[in-house]
Amino acid sequence: MNEKTLIKGKIHYVGVNDRNKHLFEGMWPLPYGVSYNSYLIDDDIVALVDTVDACYFEVFLRKIRSIIGNRPIQYLIINHMEPDHSGSIRLIKQYYPDIVIVGNKQTFGMIEGFYGVTGERYEVKEGDFLDLGYHKLRFYLTPMVHWPETMMTFDETDGVLFSGDGFGCFGTLDGGFLDTRINTDKYWDEMVRYYSNIVGKYGNPVQKAMAKLGKLPIKVVCSTHGPVWTENIPKVAGIYDRLSRYEAAEGVVIAYGSMYGNTEQMAEAIAEELSAQGIRDIVMHNVSKSHPSYMLKDIFQYKGLIIGSPTYCNHIYPEVESLLEKILLREVKNRYLGLFGSFCWAGAAVKRMGEFAEKSKFELVGDPVEMKQAMKDITYEQCGILARAMAERLKKDRPNV
Ligand SMILES: Cc1cc2nc3c(=O)[nH]c(=O)nc-3n(C[C@H](O)[C@H](O)[C@H](O)COP(=O)(O)O)c2cc1C
Ligand SMILES: [Fe+2]
Ligand SMILES: [Fe+2]
């Protein structure tokens, strides 16, 4: 039984799968579900690393007991306080009243505030140490990956990094949890979506954490969501590094709103010309149908972004506006931006999207195209010019071969 849960040394996987929740954080779809990972170190001194969503406490407790039976847990290490991981703290404290909670200066106020839990604690600072017998843990503060109290725990004996949300992804663990023993295909897209939706704003803190942790001899990464990474560590670190630098691949996302199809025809004309110019990766999103979760994922993936909006009550179409807000919230950087839009009697959308261009600091490519009512020869021409300007800008970044 215990062999199935063993990761390395005396570290066991005791996380749970959530295939019930529709929207993570009330916003982000979970087509493949999500796992809440927790790890039990069954050493001379027993320690639990993070907990799980409170809905799964019964399952969680059974997993813990299948490994340690009725023996007590001495330490509960809290790397991150978001309730998807901290949710079972109060119940764990009820079942293990003598447990010592390990956290940093920022952690304990949150534990008391969310759960009313006080009691024995070990407050750690950067580089502090906890010896469990075989495993020897060191703590690294990684604020804002993804909350201010976030820290990571590194086992120096076996090179195991407990990384909290860092290096996590959506998608449940269907049977196995070790990357070497499962088909990992579904997780790669879900990693980009998880990063862009959840962590997206915190590129700088992720970079700082990676610079610090990059010096450690890491052999296993145990994050709080998704597989336990071993042979895929370089790939996972590469994805997090690229996304947190806001680096993107050649390609264009065209996100547009359209009530009656006129603005949509502009989008089609732009896409066709981009393709004719040799741009292979073109992703089109009708903002009223595509969920923002997926649009953000693609915007983090591709360097070109072309936004289209009809004028709506003298404003940007609300669904487009909502996407623009989400992009600004995440402080996405270094994109090439194109704009187009339409109106019937007095255009406002294109002008107002100019404010987005300024706020985002994206490089505006070509002239924004504004159409009155429906497509005309001149609109096709203007859309073509915008598309060619975008294609040319992207091609300038191609490595010389
Ligand atoms: C609810 C509503 C509000 C609108 N508000 C404006 C407006 O304030 N100014 C304007 O010029 N056109 C306005 N329009 C007209 C549209 O912007 C115009 O018909 C546009 O071409 C629609 O593009 P679409 O076919 O892609 O939906 C409005 C249309 C609707 C349905
Ligand atoms: Fe989180
Ligand atoms: Fe999380």
Side-chain angles (χ1 to χ4, degrees):
M1 174 70 188
N2 289 0
E3 282 299 299
K4 281 190 200 154
T5 58
L6 193 63
I7 296 172
K8 204 159 200 271
K10 295 161 191 277
I11 300 168
H12 294 263
Y13 180 84
V14 288
V16 299
N17 290 306
D18 187 344
R19 296 187 190 86
N20 298 299
K21 186 174 279 170
H22 284 270
L23 296 172
F24 192 77
E25 292 181 353
M27 282 182 281
W28 316 112
L30 294 169
Y32 304 103
V34 64
S35 72
Y36 311 119
N37 299 343
S38 169
Y39 303 93
L40 184 68
I41 310 177
D42 182 17
D43 211 329
D44 300 343
I45 293 169
V46 178
L48 184 62
V49 184
D50 291 310
T51 72
V52 300
D53 188 298
C55 299
Y56 295 89
F57 181 73
E58 289 285 331
V59 182
F60 182 44
L61 185 66
R62 186 160 41 75
K63 288 191 173 200
I64 292 171
R65 286 186 165 162
S66 77
I67 294 161
I68 58 168
N70 288 326
R71 286 159 50 222
I73 306 173
Q74 274 86 2
Y75 290 102
L76 169 59
I77 297 162
I78 298 296
N79 283 329
H80 182 25
M81 274 302 294
E82 196 168 357
D84 52 338
H85 311 296
S86 68
S88 294
I89 288 180
R90 183 169 29 211
L91 287 163
I92 283 286
K93 186 81 179 164
Q94 274 172 25
Y95 281 80
Y96 299 95
D98 297 327
I99 203 163
V100 177
I101 301 184
V102 182
N104 58 71
K105 208 172 177 169
Q106 308 257 14
T107 320
F108 296 103
M110 294 188 189
I111 295 179
E112 203 173 338
F114 279 119
Y115 307 111
V117 167
T118 54
E120 259 220 82
R121 59 165 80 168
Y122 172 28
E123 186 179 309
V124 300
K125 295 184 299 304
E126 175 76 10
D128 277 353
F129 188 69
L130 181 62
D131 190 345
L132 301 178
Y134 175 76
H135 292 285
K136 298 178 194 313
L137 307 179
R138 202 171 288 281
F139 303 98
Y140 294 91
L141 304 189
T142 53
M144 300 320 297
V145 184
H146 131 246
W147 279 15
E149 84 301 353
T150 315
M151 64 181 197
M152 296 190 189
T153 301
F154 182 62
D155 164 43
E156 294 183 341
T157 308
D158 281 339
V160 182
L161 179 70
F162 300 96
S163 61
D165 283 344
F167 312 112
C169 61
F170 291 134
T172 51
L173 299 168
D174 301 339
F177 53 81
L178 256 188
D179 63 349
T180 47
R181 297 176 67 176
I182 58 177
N183 183 338
T184 56
D185 289 354
K186 77 174 175 190
Y187 298 107
W188 303 115
D189 262 8
E190 287 295 85
M191 181 170 284
V192 181
R193 199 164 64 85
Y194 176 81
Y195 181 90
S196 60
N197 293 185
I198 311 296
V199 192
K201 185 180 171 66
Y202 305 111
N204 263 339
V206 171
Q207 279 293 313
K208 277 191 194 138
M210 288 187 73
K212 184 168 13 180
L213 300 164
K215 299 184 187 109
L216 304 176
I218 299 169
K219 296 197 175 63
V220 183
V221 172
C222 294
S223 96
T224 46
H225 300 288
V228 170
W229 301 113
T230 59
E231 68 176 15
N232 285 286
I233 290 174
K235 183 171 178 176
V236 172
I239 292 172
Y240 265 74
D241 183 42
R242 172 170 60 80
L243 294 172
S244 57
R245 289 175 195 275
Y246 299 93
E247 277 178 17
E250 180 182 301
V252 180
V253 177
I254 304 176
Y256 64 91
S258 188
M259 297 171 281
Y260 296 104
N262 293 293
T263 316
E264 183 168 59
Q265 288 311 306
M266 300 176 82
E268 294 280 10
I270 292 166
E272 279 173 22
E273 186 60 27
L274 280 170
S275 176
Q277 293 299 319
I279 303 301
R280 291 169 66 98
D281 285 298
I282 302 167
V283 189
M284 300 186 70
H285 286 292
N286 177 339
V287 293
S288 303
K289 181 146 178 279
S290 293
H291 193 285
S293 173
Y294 293 87
M295 294 193 276
L296 286 171
K297 182 200 104 198
D298 291 331
I299 289 165
F300 268 75
Q301 289 270 61
Y302 295 114
K303 186 92 189 179
L305 174 62
I306 304 185
I307 307 268
S309 173
T311 297
Y312 186 94
C313 301
N314 211 24
H315 224 280
I316 300 172
Y317 189 55
E319 302 294 312
V320 174
E321 176 96 79
S322 161
L323 176 65
L324 301 185
E325 273 171 20
K326 289 179 175 67
I327 296 168
L328 289 176
L329 184 87
R330 282 163 185 73
E331 297 174 27
V332 179
K333 292 172 189 36
N334 308 326
R335 293 295 180 272
Y336 303 137
L337 178 70
L339 297 174
F340 65 97
S342 70
F343 67 101
C344 177
W345 61 91
V350 170
K351 186 168 148 272
R352 287 180 188 267
M353 287 195 294
E355 292 161 23
F356 166 76
E358 272 173 33
K359 279 191 204 156
S360 65
K361 301 197 181 79
F362 292 163
E363 181 180 329
L364 195 60
V365 171
D367 288 326
V369 183
E370 192 173 35
M371 172 181 79
K372 185 171 181 180
Q373 290 143 5
M375 295 296 279
K376 296 168 191 72
D377 288 348
I378 179 77
T379 333
Y380 284 105
E381 243 170 70
Q382 291 168 332
C383 288
I385 292 169
L386 174 60
R388 282 194 291 280
M390 178 62 82
E392 264 163 41
R393 187 65 195 86
L394 289 167
K395 284 180 195 170
K396 268 197 206 160
D397 292 345
R398 282 183 183 170
N400 293 320
V401 273

